[in-house]
Amino acid sequence: AFVALPMPLQSAILAIGATRQDISLTAAGPVARPVATATVTYDHALCDGVTIAEFCAALDHALNPEPA
């Protein structure tokens, strides 16, 4: 995991770290699943925090869709 800093004239930047295996407990027992850390750094003068939070939620949903 790391924090990226936006370059001048950039409003935001997304940093995604390498995946690692994490253990989750399920009804069937322990299961290994891939996990990565994502960090968004943004200029508060140019971006609204609500917009960034909505982006993070959409990213989470895209990477972790609900089971059908």
Side-chain angles (χ1 to χ4, degrees), residues 38-65:
T39 305
V40 178
T41 305
Y42 65 99
D43 184 343
H44 294 258
L46 299 175
C47 296
D48 184 13
V50 172
T51 304
I52 299 300
E54 290 170 348
F55 168 78
C56 291
L59 178 64
D60 180 52
H61 181 71
L63 296 175
N64 302 296

Side-chain angles (χ1 to χ4, degrees), residues 8-46:
L9 303 179
Q10 287 183 329
S11 59
I13 190 165
L14 171 66
I16 300 178
T19 59
R20 64 188 186 283
Q21 294 297 316
D22 194 21
I23 303 298
S24 293
L25 295 177
T26 66
V31 175
R33 61 186 182 97
V35 175
T37 300
T39 305
V40 178
T41 305
Y42 65 99
D43 184 343
H44 294 258
L46 299 175

